[in-house]
Short mmCIF file of all heavy atoms in Angstrom, two decimals:
data_model
loop_
_atom_site.label_atom_id
_atom_site.label_comp_id
_atom_site.label_asym_id
_atom_site.label_seq_id
_atom_site.Cartn_x
_atom_site.Cartn_y
_atom_site.Cartn_z
N MET A 123 79.74 -62.87 172.09
CA MET A 123 80.65 -64.06 171.94
C MET A 123 82.02 -63.53 171.43
O MET A 123 82.79 -64.33 170.89
CB MET A 123 80.10 -65.06 171.10
CG MET A 123 78.91 -65.83 171.60
SD MET A 123 79.35 -66.76 173.13
CE MET A 123 77.79 -66.87 173.96
N ASN A 124 82.29 -62.29 171.70
CA ASN A 124 83.60 -61.68 171.25
C ASN A 124 84.56 -61.82 172.43
O ASN A 124 84.39 -61.28 173.42
CB ASN A 124 83.46 -60.19 170.81
CG ASN A 124 82.17 -60.03 169.97
OD1 ASN A 124 81.22 -59.33 170.44
ND2 ASN A 124 82.17 -60.60 168.77
N GLU A 125 85.63 -62.49 172.23
CA GLU A 125 86.61 -62.75 173.36
C GLU A 125 87.96 -62.10 173.06
O GLU A 125 88.52 -62.26 171.91
CB GLU A 125 86.84 -64.31 173.37
CG GLU A 125 87.95 -64.66 174.39
CD GLU A 125 88.40 -66.08 174.39
OE1 GLU A 125 87.78 -66.87 173.58
OE2 GLU A 125 89.26 -66.51 175.12
N ASN A 126 88.50 -61.29 173.96
CA ASN A 126 89.79 -60.80 173.98
C ASN A 126 90.12 -59.97 172.75
O ASN A 126 91.12 -60.17 172.16
CB ASN A 126 90.80 -61.93 174.21
CG ASN A 126 92.19 -61.53 174.46
OD1 ASN A 126 93.12 -62.23 174.25
ND2 ASN A 126 92.32 -60.36 175.08
N TRP A 127 89.23 -59.04 172.42
CA TRP A 127 89.54 -58.10 171.37
C TRP A 127 90.35 -56.98 171.95
O TRP A 127 90.18 -56.57 173.15
CB TRP A 127 88.32 -57.61 170.70
CG TRP A 127 87.53 -58.60 169.92
CD1 TRP A 127 87.51 -59.95 170.10
CD2 TRP A 127 86.66 -58.32 168.82
NE1 TRP A 127 86.69 -60.56 169.21
CE2 TRP A 127 86.20 -59.62 168.42
CE3 TRP A 127 86.32 -57.21 168.12
CZ2 TRP A 127 85.27 -59.70 167.30
CZ3 TRP A 127 85.40 -57.33 167.07
CH2 TRP A 127 84.93 -58.53 166.70
N ILE A 128 91.18 -56.36 171.17
CA ILE A 128 92.01 -55.22 171.56
C ILE A 128 91.71 -53.97 170.78
O ILE A 128 91.76 -54.02 169.52
CB ILE A 128 93.54 -55.53 171.39
CG1 ILE A 128 93.92 -56.74 172.30
CG2 ILE A 128 94.39 -54.32 171.79
CD1 ILE A 128 95.35 -57.18 172.18
N PHE A 129 91.34 -52.93 171.47
CA PHE A 129 91.10 -51.60 170.83
C PHE A 129 92.13 -50.72 171.51
O PHE A 129 92.05 -50.38 172.68
CB PHE A 129 89.74 -51.13 171.12
CG PHE A 129 88.65 -51.93 170.47
CD1 PHE A 129 88.14 -53.02 171.02
CD2 PHE A 129 88.12 -51.51 169.25
CE1 PHE A 129 87.14 -53.83 170.35
CE2 PHE A 129 87.09 -52.21 168.59
CZ PHE A 129 86.59 -53.39 169.19
N ALA A 130 93.11 -50.23 170.69
CA ALA A 130 94.15 -49.44 171.36
C ALA A 130 94.50 -48.27 170.48
O ALA A 130 94.68 -48.35 169.23
CB ALA A 130 95.51 -50.36 171.51
N TYR A 131 94.63 -47.11 171.15
CA TYR A 131 95.14 -45.80 170.54
C TYR A 131 94.22 -45.45 169.28
O TYR A 131 94.75 -44.93 168.29
CB TYR A 131 96.52 -45.93 170.18
CG TYR A 131 97.41 -46.39 171.41
CD1 TYR A 131 97.93 -47.69 171.46
CD2 TYR A 131 97.56 -45.52 172.42
CE1 TYR A 131 98.70 -48.00 172.55
CE2 TYR A 131 98.34 -45.91 173.60
CZ TYR A 131 98.88 -47.14 173.61
OH TYR A 131 99.60 -47.52 174.71
N ASN A 132 92.95 -45.51 169.47
CA ASN A 132 92.04 -45.08 168.43
C ASN A 132 91.29 -43.85 168.93
O ASN A 132 91.20 -43.52 170.08
CB ASN A 132 90.95 -46.16 168.18
CG ASN A 132 91.55 -47.50 167.84
OD1 ASN A 132 92.09 -47.69 166.67
ND2 ASN A 132 91.46 -48.47 168.79
N ARG A 133 90.76 -43.04 167.99
CA ARG A 133 89.93 -41.97 168.31
C ARG A 133 88.47 -42.21 167.68
O ARG A 133 88.37 -42.54 166.54
CB ARG A 133 90.37 -40.67 167.79
CG ARG A 133 89.44 -39.46 168.11
CD ARG A 133 90.06 -38.10 167.61
NE ARG A 133 90.11 -37.96 166.18
CZ ARG A 133 90.34 -36.83 165.54
NH1 ARG A 133 90.65 -35.75 166.25
NH2 ARG A 133 90.44 -36.80 164.25
N PHE A 134 87.50 -42.17 168.62
CA PHE A 134 86.14 -42.37 168.20
C PHE A 134 85.37 -41.09 168.43
O PHE A 134 85.17 -40.66 169.56
CB PHE A 134 85.50 -43.50 169.06
CG PHE A 134 86.27 -44.77 169.03
CD1 PHE A 134 86.91 -45.28 170.13
CD2 PHE A 134 86.38 -45.57 167.87
CE1 PHE A 134 87.60 -46.45 170.17
CE2 PHE A 134 87.06 -46.72 167.84
CZ PHE A 134 87.68 -47.30 169.00
N ARG A 135 84.78 -40.49 167.36
CA ARG A 135 83.92 -39.37 167.53
C ARG A 135 82.53 -39.83 167.20
O ARG A 135 82.28 -40.47 166.17
CB ARG A 135 84.38 -38.28 166.54
CG ARG A 135 85.73 -37.72 166.84
CD ARG A 135 86.31 -36.94 165.65
NE ARG A 135 86.68 -37.82 164.61
CZ ARG A 135 86.94 -37.41 163.32
NH1 ARG A 135 86.83 -36.17 162.98
NH2 ARG A 135 87.30 -38.31 162.46
N VAL A 136 81.60 -39.55 168.11
CA VAL A 136 80.26 -40.09 168.15
C VAL A 136 79.22 -39.01 168.21
O VAL A 136 79.24 -38.22 169.17
CB VAL A 136 80.06 -41.13 169.24
CG1 VAL A 136 78.68 -41.82 169.19
CG2 VAL A 136 81.11 -42.24 169.18
N LYS A 137 78.26 -39.04 167.23
CA LYS A 137 77.19 -38.03 167.39
C LYS A 137 76.22 -38.41 168.45
O LYS A 137 75.75 -37.51 169.25
CB LYS A 137 76.53 -37.91 165.94
CG LYS A 137 75.41 -36.87 165.93
CD LYS A 137 74.77 -36.74 164.55
CE LYS A 137 73.69 -35.69 164.58
NZ LYS A 137 73.10 -35.52 163.26
N GLN A 138 75.82 -39.61 168.51
CA GLN A 138 74.73 -40.10 169.45
C GLN A 138 74.99 -41.49 169.88
O GLN A 138 74.90 -42.35 169.00
CB GLN A 138 73.30 -40.01 168.83
CG GLN A 138 72.17 -40.43 169.76
CD GLN A 138 72.00 -39.35 170.90
OE1 GLN A 138 72.01 -38.21 170.56
NE2 GLN A 138 71.85 -39.79 172.08
N GLY A 139 75.43 -41.74 171.09
CA GLY A 139 75.69 -43.12 171.51
C GLY A 139 76.93 -43.20 172.36
O GLY A 139 77.59 -42.15 172.55
N SER A 140 77.24 -44.37 172.81
CA SER A 140 78.45 -44.58 173.60
C SER A 140 79.63 -44.90 172.75
O SER A 140 79.52 -45.01 171.54
CB SER A 140 78.11 -45.77 174.51
OG SER A 140 77.83 -46.98 173.77
N GLY A 141 80.76 -45.08 173.48
CA GLY A 141 81.94 -45.48 172.78
C GLY A 141 81.93 -46.94 172.51
O GLY A 141 82.20 -47.34 171.30
N PHE A 142 81.47 -47.73 173.45
CA PHE A 142 81.45 -49.23 173.27
C PHE A 142 80.13 -49.73 173.78
O PHE A 142 79.67 -49.30 174.81
CB PHE A 142 82.55 -49.93 173.97
CG PHE A 142 83.91 -49.72 173.39
CD1 PHE A 142 84.67 -48.51 173.67
CD2 PHE A 142 84.55 -50.64 172.54
CE1 PHE A 142 85.92 -48.38 173.11
CE2 PHE A 142 85.73 -50.47 171.95
CZ PHE A 142 86.48 -49.30 172.28
N PHE A 143 79.49 -50.67 173.03
CA PHE A 143 78.26 -51.34 173.37
C PHE A 143 78.65 -52.83 173.49
O PHE A 143 78.96 -53.46 172.41
CB PHE A 143 77.16 -51.12 172.36
CG PHE A 143 75.89 -51.85 172.58
CD1 PHE A 143 74.75 -51.18 173.20
CD2 PHE A 143 75.76 -53.12 172.19
CE1 PHE A 143 73.66 -51.86 173.34
CE2 PHE A 143 74.52 -53.86 172.39
CZ PHE A 143 73.49 -53.19 172.99
N LEU A 144 78.49 -53.45 174.67
CA LEU A 144 78.87 -54.79 174.84
C LEU A 144 77.69 -55.61 175.25
O LEU A 144 76.93 -55.20 176.17
CB LEU A 144 79.92 -54.96 175.90
CG LEU A 144 81.28 -54.14 175.70
CD1 LEU A 144 82.27 -54.45 176.77
CD2 LEU A 144 81.94 -54.42 174.32
N LYS A 145 77.50 -56.84 174.78
CA LYS A 145 76.46 -57.73 175.14
C LYS A 145 76.88 -59.21 174.92
O LYS A 145 77.82 -59.50 174.32
CB LYS A 145 75.21 -57.42 174.32
CG LYS A 145 75.31 -57.70 172.84
CD LYS A 145 74.04 -57.35 172.01
CE LYS A 145 72.99 -58.39 172.17
NZ LYS A 145 73.37 -59.66 171.44
N THR A 146 76.03 -60.09 175.51
CA THR A 146 76.13 -61.52 175.31
C THR A 146 77.53 -62.04 175.33
O THR A 146 78.11 -62.50 174.27
CB THR A 146 75.38 -61.87 174.00
OG1 THR A 146 74.22 -61.12 173.81
CG2 THR A 146 75.12 -63.39 173.84
N ALA A 147 78.09 -62.12 176.51
CA ALA A 147 79.40 -62.77 176.64
C ALA A 147 80.49 -62.16 175.80
O ALA A 147 81.31 -62.93 175.18
CB ALA A 147 79.28 -64.31 176.37
N GLY A 148 80.49 -60.86 175.69
CA GLY A 148 81.69 -60.18 175.11
C GLY A 148 82.63 -59.98 176.28
O GLY A 148 82.40 -59.22 177.19
N PHE A 149 83.76 -60.65 176.28
CA PHE A 149 84.62 -60.63 177.55
C PHE A 149 86.07 -60.61 177.22
O PHE A 149 86.54 -60.84 176.13
CB PHE A 149 84.28 -61.94 178.37
CG PHE A 149 84.63 -63.26 177.68
CD1 PHE A 149 85.78 -63.92 177.94
CD2 PHE A 149 83.81 -63.82 176.69
CE1 PHE A 149 86.12 -65.12 177.33
CE2 PHE A 149 84.06 -64.96 176.06
CZ PHE A 149 85.26 -65.65 176.39
N ASP A 150 86.83 -60.22 178.26
CA ASP A 150 88.30 -60.17 178.31
C ASP A 150 88.81 -59.16 177.27
O ASP A 150 89.96 -59.35 176.70
CB ASP A 150 88.88 -61.48 178.09
CG ASP A 150 88.74 -62.42 179.30
OD1 ASP A 150 88.19 -61.90 180.35
OD2 ASP A 150 89.11 -63.61 179.25
N HIS A 151 88.12 -58.05 176.92
CA HIS A 151 88.58 -57.10 175.98
C HIS A 151 89.59 -56.13 176.67
O HIS A 151 89.46 -55.82 177.93
CB HIS A 151 87.40 -56.32 175.41
CG HIS A 151 86.44 -57.13 174.73
ND1 HIS A 151 86.77 -58.19 173.91
CD2 HIS A 151 85.06 -57.08 174.69
CE1 HIS A 151 85.63 -58.73 173.37
NE2 HIS A 151 84.61 -58.06 173.88
N ILE A 152 90.50 -55.65 175.90
CA ILE A 152 91.45 -54.61 176.36
C ILE A 152 91.16 -53.33 175.68
O ILE A 152 91.25 -53.29 174.36
CB ILE A 152 92.90 -54.99 176.17
CG1 ILE A 152 93.16 -56.33 176.93
CG2 ILE A 152 93.88 -53.87 176.55
CD1 ILE A 152 94.59 -56.91 176.75
N LEU A 153 90.78 -52.21 176.31
CA LEU A 153 90.54 -51.00 175.76
C LEU A 153 91.58 -49.96 176.33
O LEU A 153 91.53 -49.65 177.44
CB LEU A 153 89.16 -50.46 176.03
CG LEU A 153 87.95 -51.45 175.94
CD1 LEU A 153 86.68 -50.75 176.21
CD2 LEU A 153 88.00 -52.04 174.54
N LYS A 154 92.59 -49.64 175.51
CA LYS A 154 93.73 -48.98 176.04
C LYS A 154 94.10 -47.74 175.17
O LYS A 154 94.25 -47.85 173.97
CB LYS A 154 94.91 -49.95 176.05
CG LYS A 154 96.24 -49.28 176.59
CD LYS A 154 97.33 -50.29 176.81
CE LYS A 154 98.58 -49.68 177.38
NZ LYS A 154 99.70 -50.66 177.58
N GLY A 155 94.26 -46.62 175.84
CA GLY A 155 94.79 -45.43 175.18
C GLY A 155 93.91 -44.75 174.10
O GLY A 155 94.37 -44.03 173.25
N ASN A 156 92.59 -45.12 174.14
CA ASN A 156 91.64 -44.59 173.21
C ASN A 156 91.13 -43.24 173.67
O ASN A 156 91.08 -42.89 174.80
CB ASN A 156 90.47 -45.57 173.04
CG ASN A 156 90.89 -46.91 172.57
OD1 ASN A 156 91.24 -47.13 171.44
ND2 ASN A 156 90.84 -47.90 173.52
N VAL A 157 90.68 -42.46 172.64
CA VAL A 157 89.98 -41.18 172.85
C VAL A 157 88.64 -41.33 172.30
O VAL A 157 88.43 -41.69 171.18
CB VAL A 157 90.77 -39.95 172.20
CG1 VAL A 157 89.87 -38.72 172.12
CG2 VAL A 157 92.03 -39.74 172.83
N ALA A 158 87.60 -41.05 173.22
CA ALA A 158 86.17 -41.09 172.77
C ALA A 158 85.58 -39.76 172.93
O ALA A 158 85.55 -39.22 174.13
CB ALA A 158 85.47 -42.10 173.58
N ILE A 159 85.12 -39.11 171.83
CA ILE A 159 84.48 -37.87 171.88
C ILE A 159 83.03 -38.06 171.68
O ILE A 159 82.54 -38.37 170.54
CB ILE A 159 85.02 -36.87 170.78
CG1 ILE A 159 86.60 -36.70 171.05
CG2 ILE A 159 84.41 -35.53 170.82
CD1 ILE A 159 87.27 -36.08 169.82
N LEU A 160 82.17 -37.94 172.73
CA LEU A 160 80.74 -38.20 172.64
C LEU A 160 79.99 -36.98 172.67
O LEU A 160 80.02 -36.19 173.69
CB LEU A 160 80.39 -39.15 173.81
CG LEU A 160 81.18 -40.39 174.07
CD1 LEU A 160 80.59 -41.29 175.18
CD2 LEU A 160 81.31 -41.29 172.76
N GLU A 161 79.31 -36.65 171.55
CA GLU A 161 78.58 -35.38 171.51
C GLU A 161 77.33 -35.25 172.28
O GLU A 161 76.93 -34.20 172.72
CB GLU A 161 78.33 -35.10 169.98
CG GLU A 161 79.52 -34.92 169.11
CD GLU A 161 79.28 -34.56 167.65
OE1 GLU A 161 78.04 -34.26 167.45
OE2 GLU A 161 80.11 -34.68 166.87
N ASP A 162 76.68 -36.45 172.56
CA ASP A 162 75.51 -36.35 173.43
C ASP A 162 75.83 -36.19 174.90
O ASP A 162 76.99 -36.46 175.29
CB ASP A 162 74.57 -37.50 173.18
CG ASP A 162 75.04 -38.86 173.65
OD1 ASP A 162 75.83 -38.88 174.63
OD2 ASP A 162 74.67 -39.90 173.10
N LYS A 163 74.85 -36.08 175.73
CA LYS A 163 75.04 -35.89 177.15
C LYS A 163 74.58 -37.07 178.02
O LYS A 163 74.46 -36.92 179.17
CB LYS A 163 74.43 -34.59 177.63
CG LYS A 163 75.04 -33.29 177.00
CD LYS A 163 74.39 -32.07 177.54
CE LYS A 163 74.97 -30.79 176.87
NZ LYS A 163 74.32 -29.57 177.38
N THR A 164 74.29 -38.17 177.27
CA THR A 164 73.63 -39.22 178.09
C THR A 164 74.38 -40.55 177.98
O THR A 164 74.00 -41.53 178.67
CB THR A 164 72.20 -39.44 177.43
OG1 THR A 164 72.33 -39.79 176.01
CG2 THR A 164 71.34 -38.21 177.51
#
């Protein structure tokens, strides 16, 4: 139920998992200029 959130120019370093997990009508988000460093291979 998260509408139109903005994630811009962030760095996300993650040991295990994705950059973003979306569910249940999370919609109209803007993900712009971010860096995601995901250590796992899945």
Side-chain angles (χ1 to χ4, degrees):
M123 291 297 155
N124 315 115
E125 175 190 358
N126 194 203
W127 291 29
I128 298 175
F129 293 84
Y131 305 107
N132 307 286
R133 182 175 66 169
F134 305 111
R135 293 164 290 163
V136 181
K137 182 177 181 180
Q138 181 70 45
S140 59
F142 290 82
F143 176 100
L144 305 182
K145 65 181 282 291
T146 317
F149 63 100
D150 289 356
H151 302 319
I152 298 173
L153 315 183
K154 182 175 182 179
N156 301 287
V157 169
I159 303 169
L160 308 184
E161 295 182 11
D162 70 28
K163 298 180 180 180
T164 61

